Amino acid sequence: MAAEDEGRTEEPSEYRLEQARKEGRVAKSQEIASSLVLLFGVIVLIIMGKWMLSQCIGVLNFYFSRCNNPDVTDANLVTAFFNAFLKMIIPIGGVAVIAAFLGNIIQTKGFIFSLKPIQPNLSKIVPKFGEYFRKTIFSGTGLFNIAKSIGKVTLIVIIGYLTIRRNVFDVVEVISNGQILSAVGKIASIAAQILVIVAVLFLVISIPDYFVHRREHRETLKMTKQEVKQEFKELEGDPEVKGRLQQMQRQLLAQNIPKAVKEADVVITNPTHFAVVLKYEQDVDEAPKVTAKGEDQTALYIKRLAAENGIPIQEDRPLARGLYTDVQIGAIIPMIYYKAISLVYAHIRQNSNENVN
């Protein structure tokens, strides 16, 4: 069922995305990680191929030289096998782990540690065949995954067929001449070509797969209008979020104060603790609006800028405190302040007329 059908029409907020990230729920394609593991694993095999072949031959010589030994419990036999096995497998395994790690880090844009995905959940154990078939087959994502799997198998078949067809006569010729090791090397080279081409193509395919998963991830996190309102209320009371918002407001305020004061009609002060900057655009706003405000040092800074720019400064303690507390920057003043503000503007016009005369 689409998010819109469930009433979730709003895009997920940054807070919701961050919470999902903390829980380990991020947009991620397993195809990218598996493609990188395959590609780098094949590269390591190509680089270390000759050395690994020599190690295998050495192990075989070791065992064949001792095939007449009646003591099958000889510890050296087991030790030799595990030594050779670990020497060959550790480089490949190490590169595969690093490639898988990088494949996930690139997608999640950093390291995420969360125990939420592995916490026991009995609801996941109960079989839900209807929901499973709906998600895996009868959905856009399910059809995309089926098409992707068929496409990958088809690519492997086509690439394998074309590569083998191009080199098969060379292999037959080498084998017919009795050059067994050369034939093994030729077959290994063909296999390496197939694997490299397949790994690169799989990596290319994984890019659109990532964007499909990203879209699906955001779809699952969409919110209803009620959830948006509820989240806003919760965040508004969160001390950490409130402190961050206040800090951002202070930064914005510091950037906009000089411009706001320069274009202001009047600055109303407390006189020292508060300062509120008002601007009225008659053809745009229905009433004056607060374009900047501050307290203590910021209030003194606003008064100094107003004096430098010739902006009227009106001292009104209750009005300054009320506007500072009740009206946000950029907001129109409430109706309860209309009478007081009209008197302020009337006083400004009167002083202006007297100065002109």
Side-chain angles (χ1 to χ4, degrees):
M1 186 179 292
E4 286 77 8
D5 298 335
E6 299 175 351
R8 295 184 289 113
T9 58
E10 307 303 310
E11 289 296 320
S13 64
E14 290 299 323
Y15 177 77
R16 192 179 182 96
L17 291 171
E18 184 62 28
Q19 290 300 113
R21 180 181 175 85
K22 290 179 180 179
E23 295 175 1
R25 294 186 293 139
V26 291
K28 186 172 62 174
S29 169
Q30 295 298 334
E31 300 293 335
I32 292 179
S34 59
S35 299
L36 288 175
V37 169
L38 177 60
L39 179 60
F40 285 102
V42 170
I43 292 173
V44 173
L45 279 174
I46 293 172
I47 295 173
M48 301 180 61
K50 290 184 178 180
W51 176 81
M52 294 177 72
L53 179 61
S54 67
Q55 289 292 309
C56 291
I57 293 173
V59 171
L60 289 175
N61 286 333
F62 175 81
Y63 282 108
F64 279 128
S65 66
R66 289 163 176 77
C67 62
N68 292 326
N69 185 356
D71 186 8
V72 294
T73 61
D74 188 353
N76 291 329
L77 299 177
V78 178
T79 302
F81 170 78
F82 279 106
N83 285 341
F85 176 77
L86 291 175
K87 281 195 293 185
M88 288 187 288
I89 203 68
I90 285 176
I92 299 174
V95 169
V97 169
I98 294 172
F101 183 77
L102 290 176
N104 285 285
I105 289 293
I106 291 170
Q107 297 181 78
T108 58
K109 300 177 182 179
F111 181 75
I112 300 175
F113 179 78
S114 175
L115 297 177
K116 185 76 179 287
I118 62 174
Q119 288 180 355
N121 189 346
L122 295 178
S123 64
K124 295 181 179 180
I125 301 175
V126 178
K128 299 177 182 178
F129 297 108
E131 184 177 349
Y132 171 77
F133 285 113
R134 180 178 62 80
K135 288 184 177 180
T136 56
I137 299 176
F138 305 108
S139 67
T141 304
L143 293 174
F144 175 79
N145 289 331
I146 292 172
K148 180 180 63 179
S149 299
I150 294 173
K152 289 168 68 174
V153 172
T154 304
L155 275 175
I156 293 173
V157 172
I158 293 173
I159 293 168
Y161 172 76
L162 294 176
T163 306
I164 293 172
R165 181 183 178 184
R166 189 173 62 249
N167 296 279
V168 65
F169 293 109
D170 295 337
V171 175
V172 171
E173 182 180 355
V174 172
I175 293 175
S176 62
N177 292 331
Q179 301 173 351
I180 303 301
L181 287 178
S182 296
V184 171
K186 188 65 178 176
I187 293 171
S189 175
I190 295 171
Q193 290 179 45
I194 294 173
L195 289 173
V196 168
I197 296 172
V198 167
V200 172
L201 288 176
F202 279 10
L203 189 58
V204 172
I205 292 173
S206 67
I207 295 174
D209 183 67
Y210 167 76
F211 286 104
V212 169
H213 280 279
R214 182 180 177 182
R215 182 187 63 80
E216 185 182 25
H217 173 67
R218 293 187 70 91
E219 191 76 10
T220 59
L221 294 177
K222 276 189 172 181
M223 309 167 69
T224 63
K225 294 185 185 301
Q226 183 60 36
E227 286 176 333
V228 173
K229 294 178 181 177
Q230 185 63 31
E231 181 184 281
F232 179 77
K233 289 181 180 178
E234 292 175 357
L235 291 180
E236 198 174 27
D238 188 332
E240 182 180 349
V241 175
K242 188 180 289 185
R244 198 182 312 144
L245 290 174
Q246 289 176 349
Q247 182 181 5
M248 292 172 62
Q249 287 177 347
R250 284 195 293 270
Q251 292 174 351
L252 291 172
L253 189 62
Q255 296 171 4
N256 295 330
I257 281 177
K259 182 175 183 294
V261 173
K262 189 175 182 180
E263 299 175 352
D265 296 327
V266 62
V267 174
I268 300 176
T269 66
N270 192 30
T272 56
H273 294 298
F274 300 104
V276 180
V277 182
L278 296 182
K279 173 69 175 176
Y280 179 44
E281 296 179 86
Q282 190 171 0
D283 297 331
V284 178
D285 302 321
E286 60 184 27
K289 64 182 178 182
V290 174
T291 56
K293 62 180 181 178
E295 61 178 321
D296 298 332
Q297 294 299 320
T298 307
L300 294 175
Y301 174 56
I302 290 173
K303 287 181 63 179
R304 179 168 60 81
L305 288 174
E308 292 174 356
N309 289 276
I311 305 300
I313 300 174
Q314 183 73 31
E315 182 180 329
D316 191 322
R317 294 171 184 265
L319 182 58
R321 180 181 291 273
L323 290 174
Y324 182 87
T325 305
D326 297 338
V327 188
Q328 297 297 320
I329 296 174
I332 301 294
I333 64 170
M335 290 186 65
I336 59 173
Y337 294 108
Y338 278 11
K339 184 176 181 180
I341 295 299
S342 64
L343 293 175
V344 169
Y345 273 82
H347 181 69
I348 293 172
R349 283 196 297 270
Q350 182 179 355
N351 288 341
S352 178
N353 292 334
E354 289 176 357
N355 291 334
V356 170
N357 294 332

